[in-house]
Amino acid sequence: MPSLPLPQPDPRLCAALAEDLRAARFHGEDVRAAWGEIADDAIARGLRRPAERALAGRTDPLAVLARLLMLGMPQPAALVDEALPRTTGAGLVALNLAAAVEEGIRPLAVVRPQPFADESGDGGWWVASDLDEAVLGGPLPEDHVLGVGGASMTLAGLQLPTPARRGLDIGTGCGIQALRARRNVGEVVATDTSERALAFTRLNAMLNVVDGIEPRSGSLFEPVRGERFDRIASNPPFVITPRAAGVPAYEYRDGGMAGDDLVAHFVRTVGEHLLPGGVAQLLGNWETRDGAAGLDRVRDWVDASPVPLDAWVVEREVLDPLSYAELWIRDGGTVPGRPEFAGLIDAWLEDFAERGVEHVGFGYILLRRPEAGSPTLARYERIGQSLGGAPLGPHLAAALAAHDRLAGLDDAELEASVLLVAPDVSEARHHLPGAEAPSVIELRQGGGFGRTIEVDPALAALVGACDGDLAVGPLVGAIAELLEVDATALREDLLPRIRELVFTGFLTFA
């Protein structure tokens, strides 16, 4: 499928478009209310007809803009001019977001309202990107610029909410990570190999009146050679794609390397671009090959960095090769029943077989260059349970702060500390029928990663007593006396587990 013209960002027209969208109440909640919950769910699954039916016959600005800019439906020029009185259809054409055709104004891109929430409050952006497969009716062009999807919002929610001076967004795409970073970071360099993506990034920064974003062209760290940053965020083109004839190489997801080499390269080299105390966060895939677990391979990548790094890696999902292949073939707009589908499946499976790939993991990588000294954090874990909708960034920031404080405390100082149970923690006790004592005691976390951990009566008693009154040491002594166990042995058993509960957010320092 041929590529569409590049967007032509223009500050005056972008400002006019933003005013028109605001006046039309072109916001996520208003659009959802216009076409209803069922249609909204259908849109998320690539189905437009329920929304088309819900808006049928309506000529108000919100309905016209929803059809034009979200559903990709041509609209009469007169209705577009009424809906966008400052921009007009001619302005959309000048931005290369639409084309003038016989039936009126035909969209060349989508512009979607994107709500967000962070510690500074609720807000929203308008994000322009390329037409998706539901509009195109077939496979995507290889230079397709993806809009805001689940992975984009995941990484945006992972970004630390603490202030920083200078940031870097690698593989910026439509610019969503750069927009998110600017909420807390003074200036952001946004890089991509795709000139099309950089054009959308410029346009979206103008449309949302966000300054301090500098787009640069190039691969990975090439555009910032010799520079260092406080924050680096990347939703890189990590999708494992066969290097075979006939397999589309989509710029937004394929970095041109074999297997998981791109993520490995990123992890090994990012430390050189971090200032002391700087943090890099990215999403990635990693392969389990010939019995070598994916998380262990990520650990090897971190260890291979010439700059020693703290690391916290979370594996959220694991797929077998067939499921992985089908997921990304469908993502490109090729579905079962199309002649090329089976051939693409074969190409993926052959590629995996050549490297002995058994599974592919997906997750989050957080790397930090220590302020001074050696790394103190090396955490590689699997967290498979579903998470709530709240951003994880505040939880990650709190965990890093807790880790740093704990690293400076010896056991005696920890015993002298006063702790509190986090407000989102609850306890569940499970009894066998007729039994007085519980057979299982669980602590459950409502926020963060939503962890559930099994504890014994001693640790449960300590957590229950952490009300900001007594320090850890006296509490352990009292529990040892209550349970009639040796106090020294109980301290040795509980203190490492208390450290874990503080890091994971079950307990906090008073």
Side-chain angles (χ1 to χ4, degrees):
M1 181 171 292
S3 299
L4 295 170
L6 283 178
Q8 296 296 317
D10 176 275
R12 182 186 61 81
L13 286 174
C14 285
L17 179 57
E19 284 297 312
D20 285 336
L21 296 178
R22 190 174 296 110
R25 299 190 59 81
F26 191 63
H27 306 296
E29 62 273 18
D30 294 291
V31 173
R32 281 191 294 274
W35 58 36
E37 291 185 11
I38 292 177
D40 203 56
D41 289 342
I43 289 289
R45 299 173 187 175
L47 304 172
R48 300 188 307 163
R49 285 294 299 152
E52 291 177 25
R53 287 194 297 269
L55 299 178
R58 289 181 52 173
T59 59
D60 56 288
L62 181 61
V64 171
L65 295 177
R67 286 194 295 262
L68 179 73
L69 299 179
M70 295 185 70
L71 302 182
M73 300 171 61
Q75 297 295 290
L79 289 182
V80 174
D81 289 345
E82 290 177 13
L84 302 173
R86 300 166 185 83
T87 314
T88 72
L92 282 185
V93 172
L95 289 167
N96 270 354
L97 297 180
V101 294
E102 185 175 344
E103 62 267 37
I105 302 297
R106 176 173 63 87
L108 299 179
V110 295
V111 180
R112 290 192 174 97
Q114 182 60 55
F116 64 81
D118 60 22
E119 292 192 331
S120 299
D122 297 344
W125 299 297
W126 293 291
V127 180
S129 61
D130 272 325
L131 299 171
D132 57 28
E133 62 268 26
V135 178
L136 297 175
L140 303 172
E142 292 191 4
D143 66 349
H144 177 82
V145 175
L146 194 67
V148 180
S152 300
M153 291 311 296
T154 293
L155 181 60
L158 288 169
Q159 287 195 41
L160 301 184
T162 48
R165 186 182 69 82
R166 195 158 187 256
L168 171 63
D169 172 19
I170 292 182
T172 188
C174 66
I176 184 64
Q177 303 308 326
L179 290 173
R180 174 60 185 84
R182 277 289 287 119
R183 298 279 290 174
N184 302 104
V185 180
E187 58 186 53
V188 177
V189 176
T191 72
D192 208 294
T193 59
S194 166
E195 292 299 330
R196 186 170 190 80
L198 295 174
F200 273 114
T201 295
R202 292 186 186 95
L203 187 144
N204 286 325
M206 292 179 189
L207 185 59
N208 292 285
V209 198
V210 176
D211 60 4
I213 295 176
E214 179 191 350
R216 295 188 195 174
S217 178
S219 176
L220 293 173
F221 298 103
E222 290 175 1
V224 294
R225 188 177 289 113
E227 298 181 52
R228 291 183 179 180
F229 301 86
D230 304 289
R231 295 284 166 75
I232 298 176
S234 182
N235 182 10
F238 60 75
V239 175
I240 298 166
T241 306
R243 310 261 72 85
V247 178
Y250 295 113
E251 291 180 353
Y252 72 88
R253 71 184 202 190
D254 178 15
M257 299 185 187
D260 51 19
D261 287 353
L262 185 138
V263 177
H265 176 75
F266 188 107
V267 171
R268 293 188 189 113
T269 58
V270 68
E272 300 170 9
H273 297 276
L274 287 171
L275 289 162
V279 173
Q281 295 176 273
L282 68 149
L283 306 181
N285 279 158
W286 39 83
E287 297 176 338
T288 291
R289 298 181 184 174
D290 296 324
L295 278 178
D296 291 338
R297 296 182 63 246
V298 178
R299 186 191 298 268
D300 291 340
W301 303 340
V302 175
D303 292 344
S305 169
V307 176
L309 297 170
D310 287 319
W312 185 3
V313 182
V314 176
E315 187 172 76
R316 293 287 293 123
E317 186 178 13
V318 176
L319 294 177
D320 62 79
L322 177 58
S323 299
Y324 186 90
E326 185 173 6
L327 169 68
W328 291 109
I329 293 169
R330 286 175 177 268
D331 176 79
T334 302
V335 296
R338 294 184 67 94
E340 62 269 34
F341 185 83
L344 291 173
I345 288 285
D346 287 343
W348 247 277
L349 296 184
E350 288 174 9
D351 179 63
F352 283 136
E354 287 176 2
R355 289 191 305 280
V357 175
E358 301 160 21
H359 297 94
V360 180
F362 166 80
Y364 323 142
I365 299 176
L366 185 153
L367 304 169
R368 181 176 64 169
R369 184 170 185 167
E371 290 274 5
S374 301
T376 57
L377 177 62
R379 190 178 182 96
Y380 300 81
E381 58 183 323
R382 295 179 179 88
I383 302 178
Q385 70 267 22
S386 61
L387 305 179
L392 279 167
H395 175 72
L396 299 181
L400 290 177
H403 167 80
D404 293 342
R405 184 167 178 180
L406 288 167
L409 297 179
D410 60 23
D411 283 350
E413 291 168 321
L414 179 59
E415 287 189 71
S417 301
V418 179
L419 301 178
L420 287 168
V421 183
D424 64 331
V425 172
S426 60
E427 181 184 274
R429 294 182 175 235
H430 304 273
H431 296 74
L432 293 172
E436 182 176 349
S439 56
V440 176
I441 306 174
E442 292 177 333
L443 297 179
R444 296 174 177 174
Q445 184 180 52
F449 282 106
R451 301 174 190 266
T452 296
I453 60 171
E454 188 174 333
V455 297
D456 56 29
L459 187 56
L462 183 135
V463 171
C466 284
D467 57 5
D469 185 12
L470 294 177
V472 169
L475 288 177
V476 173
I479 293 168
E481 184 176 350
L482 178 67
L483 298 179
E484 299 180 343
V485 298
D486 180 73
T488 300
L490 188 62
R491 283 186 176 89
E492 292 176 354
D493 173 59
L494 288 184
L495 290 181
R497 295 196 282 161
I498 291 169
R499 290 179 182 272
E500 173 70 5
L501 290 179
V502 173
F503 176 83
T504 53
F506 286 84
L507 296 173
T508 63
F509 288 100

